[in-house]
Amino acid sequence: MTSNVLIIGGGIIGLAIAIELKLRGAKVTLVSQNFQTAATHAAAGMLAPSAEKISHKAMLELCQRSLSSYSDWTHKLETFTGLNTGYWSCGILTPVLEERGREGERERGREGESNPPILPSSSPSYWLDRETIHQYQSGLGEDAIGGWWYPEDAQVDNRALAQAMLAAAKSLGVEIKEGVAVEGIQQQQRLVVGVQTNAGVIQAEHYVLATGAWSNAVFPLPVRPRKGQMLSVRVPKNEPDLPLTRVLFGEEIYIVPRRDGRIIIGATIEDVGFTPNNTPAGIQSLLQKAIRLYPQLQHYPIEELWWGFRPATADELPILGTSPCENLTFAVGHYRNGILLAPITAALIADLILEQKSDPLLSHFHYSRFHTKSSTTSMLTLPTPPLPTTPPPPLPLQDTPLQIAGKTFNSRLMTGTGKYRNIEEMQQSVVASDCQIVTVAVRRVQTNAPGHEGLAEALDWSKIWMLPNTAGCHTAEEAIRVARLGREMAKLLGQEDNNFVKLEVIPDSKYLLPDPIGTLQAAEQLVKEGFAVLPYINADPILAQRLEEVGCATVMPLASPIGSGQGLKTTANIQIIIENANVPVVVDAGIGTPSEAAQAMEMGADALLINSAIALSQNPPAMARAMNLASVAGRLAYLAGRMPLKNYASASSPLTGTVN
Ligand code: GLY
């Protein structure tokens, strides 16, 4: 039995798993950067599979199983800790407002029918017509023309619950480490061997990733933050009774009354990354909708404003269960339902880790669902050059293949995956370029930026060496963190021994020029951590030398600004770098045409990295082929040695022996 488990993440999911594992006899450590920033703290605490209109069958079953255990689960916690969790089986009313009237009519079918046809739910639900709903819930806005009543949906005071869970975890003997920032997961041969943190490396037998919206900063998973802004008001003391004793759930708004007179109003749904703070627009829209639904709120004092980041996956379903590493389990991406799903997640994950028992439901939430088979790479239909009738004779030239950090490559052209109009063009271009190294922006894969979804399947990673790059990193620290993630990404693609990183530390977004000091600092650290570092630099010969001295595997001077297509503007400096380097010099950025590519190779560059000039051309696969030919031609020309330059014309035919 696994006895020593490290939980990464101190939100409700991490805490629930920690408690469950501990209760079943495991030794458990939990690390959290900050309990207060977890979505758990920001949530409203609704337990609402019906009101949330969950229609995915397996998800609905997961939610309903969790809901049915909630009362017992919280009761046990309360008994154990003596703390209240605010669990309240209050039901949820979802009023339908005027302009949705017709849709509401369609949804409800025959008036008075008790089960809405849109929900494959086994929970009871009742349609209340206009008169009934206003009788049932006084104070509703005039626009409410009816609504559904879901008596089994409930709520819990998420903050009180988190406090109780933390207390329970502590008194059960879970070792809790707060203030620990996880920087990366170290793995070898599909086993996690440690977790790198700001407090050093932490090791365990088994690891659980429960890092919510922050998950893909630790492991490459398609989880993104989806911000929600919220506020609370308080029922004035002079009101004798609570005006609301059930949750009101409207269109893009919910109002959650607590027993102590606090009323939570939520929540916006914003795709703005980790942008913090409340905004006037966000709060205004919440207030407008809340007051329309329940007008008397407008008089209640505002108590608090806050925001949080829901962990959203691409299909808005959680990622639960086994991972690519044998001793790592995923429990992330609960999106809008983390509070609700905590008990069932904890039970299923504990079964899986401690008893190797995999509930059939887990198969619906496996991470591999995001690795769907891509359409087969369409074959390139370039006009192929006519084959010579006889093969060209071997050239009296000796070339050695490109060697970077002990690895050999036959192609001297590297390409990228960014800026293509579509993934097919990218695939065709990579094939046409005949390259063996493709650089991938780790951050864009993490955020599923356009063109970066499904990269795992888009290319044949058994033939192409991935060069993770740290594009988008402004500081050395960020770049180091992203480099570590890149290494994990390569491992996920089956490149266990891939320790390459194209280091980019670019503080400004206008000129996209690399920071020489940050680059050197990051390079030093990454070399120490065993990376083969390929730093992207301005064409600065001294910096190139310093980077070589600290152990970089190549240097990658820019020809001109990234993506500018301005061609070779730094020729003189690149020439000096080439003359002095003992590591491969890869000319990167700015090359716009094959003639420029050939020119860089003629100068003696060891390789080229070209992305925009291919991706932004009119016909990327054709341009990719052209760049391939140019790099080969330029290399051959370099090896052949150019003719000497002369100041004056020199006739091609000898003049001696001519007849005057
Ligand atoms: N569970 C409600 C929300 O995420 O806003």
Side-chain angles (χ1 to χ4, degrees):
M1 174 177 132
T2 305
S3 57
N4 177 358
V5 185
L6 177 69
I7 315 275
I8 310 167
I12 188 169
I13 299 296
L15 281 167
I17 296 171
I19 291 171
E20 188 66 29
L21 290 172
K22 188 75 202 173
L23 285 171
R24 297 197 201 179
K27 177 178 180 302
V28 184
T29 305
L30 180 145
V31 292
S32 165
Q33 180 153 20
N34 181 348
F35 287 112
Q36 305 301 308
T37 51
T40 302
H41 188 75
M46 287 182 296
L47 310 173
S50 297
E52 286 277 356
K53 294 196 166 35
I54 289 165
S55 55
H56 183 277
K57 205 161 163 275
M59 177 66 168
L60 187 62
E61 190 182 334
L62 194 74
C63 289
Q64 281 175 337
R65 273 171 66 179
S66 210
L67 181 62
S68 63
S69 65
Y70 231 92
S71 168
D72 276 358
W73 188 68
T74 47
H75 182 70
K76 277 186 200 140
L77 264 172
E78 290 180 351
T79 314
F80 184 70
T81 60
L83 298 170
N84 198 324
T85 65
Y87 172 75
W88 186 5
S89 183
C90 60
I92 298 188
L93 189 61
T94 65
V96 175
L97 300 187
E98 192 91 82
E99 68 269 59
R100 287 203 63 234
R102 254 181 260 141
E103 196 184 326
E105 293 284 325
R106 267 204 306 279
E107 272 180 17
R108 74 188 157 103
R110 273 186 295 122
E111 202 156 301
E113 207 170 60
S114 66
N115 275 318
I118 51 162
L119 291 177
S121 160
S122 56
S123 303
S125 52
Y126 303 98
W127 172 257
L128 310 180
D129 63 17
R130 184 193 283 263
E131 200 186 338
T132 316
I133 202 168
H134 284 276
Q135 258 172 18
Y136 195 61
Q137 178 60 61
S138 62
L140 281 184
E142 282 297 294
D143 296 342
I145 55 131
W148 289 103
W149 167 234
Y150 301 112
E152 291 191 353
D153 279 3
Q155 65 158 300
V156 68
D157 181 337
N158 43 293
R159 291 185 187 175
L161 173 63
Q163 283 307 316
M165 292 177 80
L166 197 54
K170 280 181 184 160
S171 48
L172 284 168
V174 172
E175 191 183 344
I176 308 249
K177 299 183 183 204
E178 205 192 351
V180 174
V182 171
E183 292 162 351
I185 290 183
Q186 301 173 335
Q187 48 168 300
Q188 278 168 12
Q189 311 300 332
R190 305 213 168 257
L191 268 186
V192 175
V193 292
V195 169
Q196 188 139 9
T197 75
N198 59 349
V201 173
I202 305 179
Q203 292 178 315
E205 249 180 83
H206 198 99
Y207 301 79
V208 178
L209 195 72
T211 34
W214 291 266
S215 297
N216 74 5
V218 182
F219 203 92
L221 281 174
V223 183
R224 303 180 60 168
R226 192 136 332 138
K227 183 177 171 182
Q229 298 191 47
M230 309 187 63
L231 76 152
S232 66
V233 296
R234 185 165 282 279
V235 179
K237 287 216 165 54
N238 55 9
E239 293 213 9
D241 297 314
L242 288 182
L244 272 181
T245 53
R246 55 183 71 90
V247 172
L248 300 182
F249 196 122
E251 270 292 301
E252 298 171 1
I253 192 76
Y254 45 77
I255 300 171
V256 184
R258 299 280 199 241
R259 281 199 171 108
D260 65 358
R262 183 170 148 93
I263 298 180
I264 318 281
I265 300 171
T268 60
I269 304 174
E270 299 169 66
D271 212 351
V272 292
F274 285 108
T275 309
N277 296 316
N278 290 108
T279 60
I283 296 302
Q284 184 194 33
S285 98
L286 291 177
L287 286 173
Q288 210 168 26
K289 289 173 192 152
I291 292 168
R292 182 160 177 237
L293 192 59
Y294 191 68
Q296 71 201 67
L297 281 178
Q298 66 194 292
H299 305 297
Y300 295 169
I302 292 180
E303 205 176 53
E304 189 190 343
L305 308 178
W306 70 96
W307 69 94
F309 300 105
R310 305 174 184 91
T313 60
D315 58 8
E316 299 183 353
L317 301 174
I319 299 175
L320 303 174
T322 58
S323 79
C325 299
E326 266 169 51
N327 60 343
L328 173 69
T329 303
F330 291 144
V332 299
H334 291 71
Y335 188 41
R336 294 178 65 95
N337 297 292
I339 305 292
L340 168 62
L341 290 174
I344 189 79
T345 302
L348 298 189
I349 296 295
D351 285 349
L352 187 66
I353 296 174
L354 300 180
E355 295 168 37
Q356 289 73 52
K357 219 172 80 191
S358 182
D359 189 288
L361 257 190
L362 283 179
S363 65
H364 300 275
F365 305 105
H366 199 249
Y367 78 95
S368 59
R369 70 183 185 274
F370 296 109
H371 295 197
T372 51
K373 289 269 166 290
S374 67
S375 55
T376 48
T377 309
S378 37
M379 278 290 78
L380 191 63
T381 49
L382 285 178
T384 30
L387 283 175
T389 40
T390 48
L395 295 170
L397 261 181
Q398 286 282 311
D399 195 7
T400 47
L402 175 66
Q403 292 246 357
I404 301 176
K407 218 174 146 56
T408 301
F409 302 94
N410 289 318
S411 166
R412 291 177 179 270
L413 175 62
M414 308 177 187
T415 62
T417 55
K419 300 187 183 171
Y420 284 95
R421 282 175 279 260
N422 55 54
I423 202 144
E424 286 77 24
E425 264 188 11
M426 185 275 284
Q427 292 170 313
Q428 292 172 354
S429 303
V430 169
V431 173
S433 73
D434 203 23
C435 68
Q436 285 175 300
I437 298 181
V438 171
T439 189
V440 173
V442 176
R443 282 221 149 145
R444 296 197 185 110
V445 174
Q446 282 181 301
T447 55
N448 257 325
H452 291 77
E453 320 90 341
L455 256 186
E457 293 76 32
L459 296 175
D460 182 353
W461 295 107
S462 67
K463 300 204 174 87
I464 288 168
W465 190 244
M466 184 172 74
L467 176 56
N469 70 58
T470 63
C473 292
H474 300 95
T475 64
E477 293 72 35
E478 273 179 85
I480 292 168
R481 196 170 52 73
V482 170
R484 291 173 186 146
L485 277 175
R487 180 149 67 177
E488 303 312 318
M489 226 163 82
K491 284 180 184 160
L492 280 181
L493 298 177
Q495 300 184 0
E496 271 294 328
D497 55 338
N498 188 339
N499 61 345
F500 279 39
V501 62
K502 176 172 182 249
L503 177 60
E504 297 186 23
V505 181
I506 301 182
D508 95 282
S509 56
K510 182 170 178 195
Y511 302 106
L512 293 175
L513 289 170
D515 167 5
I517 297 163
T519 306
L520 185 61
Q521 284 167 343
E524 269 187 290
Q525 177 61 29
L526 290 170
V527 168
K528 276 190 204 139
E529 291 183 21
F531 281 88
V533 181
L534 289 73
Y536 167 65
I537 56 169
N538 210 326
D540 175 344
I542 308 299
L543 177 62
Q545 205 174 332
R546 293 289 303 276
L547 287 162
E548 187 182 325
E549 281 161 14
V550 302
C552 286
T554 65
V555 284
M556 302 185 77
L558 57 82
S560 53
I562 296 183
S564 69
Q566 288 175 17
L568 283 165
K569 297 278 190 218
T570 53
T571 318
N573 278 9
I574 290 183
Q575 194 77 65
I576 301 173
I577 294 174
I578 291 171
E579 262 172 45
N580 290 288
N582 298 303
V583 290
V585 177
V586 185
V587 173
D588 179 14
I591 285 180
T593 62
S595 58
E596 291 153 6
Q599 197 192 338
M601 293 304 290
E602 285 166 27
M603 280 162 57
D606 295 278
L608 306 172
L609 196 154
I610 302 177
N611 182 186
S612 303
I614 297 174
L616 300 181
S617 68
Q618 296 304 309
N619 185 333
M623 186 58 86
R625 172 74 60 79
M627 290 297 186
N628 162 274
L629 297 172
S631 69
V632 173
R635 178 69 185 174
L636 269 180
Y638 166 74
L639 293 173
R642 63 157 294 147
M643 66 165 279
L645 275 173
K646 295 190 177 145
N647 284 339
Y648 299 104
S650 161
S652 299
S653 317
L655 291 174
T656 48
T658 52
V659 180
N660 287 321

